[in-house]
Amino acid sequence: MLKAVILIGGPQKGTRFRPLSFEVPKPLFPVAGVPMIQHHIEACAQVPGMQEILLIGFYQPDEPLTRFLEAAQQEFNLPVRYLQEFAPLGTGGGLYHFRDQILAGGPEAFFVLNADVCSDFPLSDMLAAHRHQPHPFLLLGTTANRTQSLNYGCIVENPQTHEVLHYVEKPSTFVSDIINCGIYLFSPEALKPLRDVFYRNQQDGQLEDSSGLWRGAGTIRLEQDVFSALAGQGQIYVHLTDGIWSQIKSAGSALYASRLYLGQYQLTHPERLAKHSPGGPRIRGNVYIHPTAKVAPSAVLGPNVSIGEGVTVGEGVRLRESIVLHGATLQEHTCVLHSIVGWGSTVGRWARVEGTPNDPNPNDPRAHMDSESLFKDGKLLPAITILGCRVRIPAEVLILNSIVLPHKELSRSFTNQIIL
């Protein structure tokens, strides 16, 4: 028997995802046509022996989250439950706090997945490696180039046994080109080191300040408090993958993740990809169109386009490398490139909405998305264009490399601006 835990974080996280996270919790943002964490749940549900999927986070269990959980339970015929933390507890605190729920029924092992990663989730391979050689912690690792490895948790392994000898979270100098993917397989004994960290935090808290004791004691960072401390002690092992993997920290990385997942659909969900049909729009590359969307036959879509529920795409529209969200309208002959069009937004006739992609170097197979910051030297860096919820763009204007906050009605063109 197996279980899976998906760590979905909380509203104080995902600030780089604004203005998109104003409308919907980041884990429910649609990537390649389905909520971000549905990709995780689909992968977990396919593992034989999976009994239950638990979501742990600090979001209020509001209507969208509850609706999503009910739909997921029906679709995958598995219990999918949300456990809300009493305070943000870090990547390991929630696992320790809800240890009884995780271990109920006596699972042989449980997967732990971060919600903000995009992957092909080689969970069955990890399980086979774990059963071949059981250890408390198995980490999924991939390779990065020397410069980008500094942005991730770096793993030094024994090449013969794959034991993790050394682990450093976001080092200041080069340590290793193997990075932590944020996807793990833990055996029940893995909770013992978490307990040790909890008691140590409790004692430190009593020495410092008893008033904030519980918040301090309950906060456990898996990477720094557990992996770094236990590396080289024969408890942590790494399973390397060369499959797709990317972090989803910002809107730009959501667009890149959408491209990776749409490419993956060729193998996993060919029914989700739009086909070229007589009298239908022209499809180039991988495109997802929600069944309720209305797309004019003269529109040209793709590659890497995802069109949400109830979207209207007018005659002569050109869409490429973009996500169009629920209820948006693109009027005739608009051109939308490298952009995310928010819920219920309208782009007027002959308008152009364009962004600048921040994709990994295509000539370096080990390159990943850079964790972009919005500004450099006080200037807004060129990035994808984001229209928040219910934005109205007039006819015949250009919106380039800009972020438009929700409920704005624009009257002219903008370039390289954040429109508040």
Side-chain angles (χ1 to χ4, degrees), residues 52-109:
E52 184 177 43
I53 298 171
L54 301 171
L55 274 56
I56 295 181
F58 187 53
Y59 286 101
Q60 293 298 324
D62 56 2
E63 194 197 347
L65 191 55
T66 314
R67 254 203 330 263
F68 170 75
L69 293 174
E70 286 168 359
Q73 292 204 80
Q74 285 182 332
E75 184 175 346
F76 301 107
N77 200 17
L78 261 181
V80 182
R81 293 192 296 133
Y82 174 53
L83 305 173
Q84 188 188 358
E85 298 171 346
F86 61 92
L89 294 177
T91 44
L95 296 174
Y96 181 71
H97 184 69
F98 293 112
R99 60 196 177 279
D100 295 344
Q101 305 260 19
I102 295 169
L103 298 181
E108 67 166 293

Side-chain angles (χ1 to χ4, degrees), residues 15 30 43 59 63 68 72 79 120 129 158 180 183 189 197 233-234 250 281 311 315 388:
T15 50
Y59 286 101
E63 194 197 347
F68 170 75
D120 52 2
N158 176 329
N180 174 7
I183 299 167
E189 307 87 86
V197 174
Q233 296 181 23
S250 63
V311 167
E315 296 288 348

Side-chain angles (χ1 to χ4, degrees), residues 111 119-127 140 183 239-241 244:
F111 289 98
S119 172
D120 52 2
F121 299 107
L123 304 183
S124 299
D125 296 351
M126 291 176 74
L127 185 59
L140 186 69
I183 299 167
H239 176 80
L240 287 175
T241 177
I244 63 166

Side-chain angles (χ1 to χ4, degrees), residues 87-350:
L89 294 177
T91 44
L95 296 174
Y96 181 71
H97 184 69
F98 293 112
R99 60 196 177 279
D100 295 344
Q101 305 260 19
I102 295 169
L103 298 181
E108 67 166 293
F110 56 95
F111 289 98
V112 177
L113 303 97
N114 284 336
D116 60 355
V117 295
C118 147
S119 172
D120 52 2
F121 299 107
L123 304 183
S124 299
D125 296 351
M126 291 176 74
L127 185 59
H130 172 77
R131 284 177 173 160
H132 174 65
Q133 220 181 2
H135 296 289
F137 300 92
L138 181 65
L139 280 53
L140 186 69
T142 189
T143 50
N145 61 37
R146 287 181 74 98
T147 324
Q148 289 183 322
S149 67
L150 307 180
N151 301 325
Y152 302 95
C154 291
I155 297 166
V156 179
E157 65 154 1
N158 176 329
Q160 278 75 45
T161 63
H162 301 297
E163 185 196 342
V164 175
L165 303 174
H166 188 51
Y167 183 94
V168 191
E169 185 66 21
K170 295 184 180 147
S172 50
T173 56
F174 177 73
V175 171
S176 164
D177 61 356
I178 299 174
I179 60 170
N180 174 7
C181 291
I183 299 167
Y184 317 115
L185 179 56
F186 292 176
S187 62
E189 307 87 86
L191 291 169
K192 291 196 184 86
L194 296 182
R195 183 189 60 198
D196 298 341
V197 174
F198 179 80
Y199 287 139
R200 195 166 63 242
N201 286 351
Q202 210 170 13
Q203 286 166 347
D204 293 349
Q206 275 168 336
L207 293 172
E208 288 170 24
D209 170 29
S210 55
S211 63
L213 168 68
W214 282 102
R215 176 169 288 217
T219 303
I220 301 171
R221 302 165 305 170
L222 265 183
E223 300 81 8
Q224 292 95 325
D225 298 337
V226 180
F227 298 160
S228 295
L230 293 184
Q233 296 181 23
Q235 297 200 50
I236 309 181
Y237 284 71
V238 62
H239 176 80
L240 287 175
T241 177
D242 53 5
I244 63 166
W245 182 82
S246 182
Q247 276 188 326
I248 308 178
K249 293 290 187 194
S250 63
S253 50
L255 205 47
Y256 178 63
S258 182
R259 183 196 307 168
L260 294 180
Y261 278 137
L262 287 169
Q264 196 69 10
Y265 284 172
Q266 299 272 15
L267 304 170
T268 56
H269 291 285
E271 76 285 354
R272 286 185 186 166
L273 292 173
K275 308 283 187 298
H276 193 72
S277 59
R282 283 171 61 192
I283 305 293
R284 295 182 175 171
N286 299 324
V287 174
Y288 168 85
I289 302 176
H290 193 277
T292 58
K294 296 187 176 69
V295 183
S298 59
V300 182
L301 314 179
N304 182 23
V305 166
S306 172
I307 293 179
E309 191 181 332
V311 167
T312 306
V313 178
E315 296 288 348
V317 167
R318 178 69 177 106
L319 254 175
R320 176 185 170 143
E321 298 279 344
S322 296
I323 296 174
V324 184
L325 296 165
H326 182 116
T329 302
L330 307 180
Q331 294 178 358
E332 302 81 69
H333 306 288
T334 58
C335 178
V336 178
L337 313 172
H338 303 288
S339 301
I340 296 178
V341 179
W343 299 266
S345 290
T346 304
V347 181
R349 291 162 43 235
W350 294 100

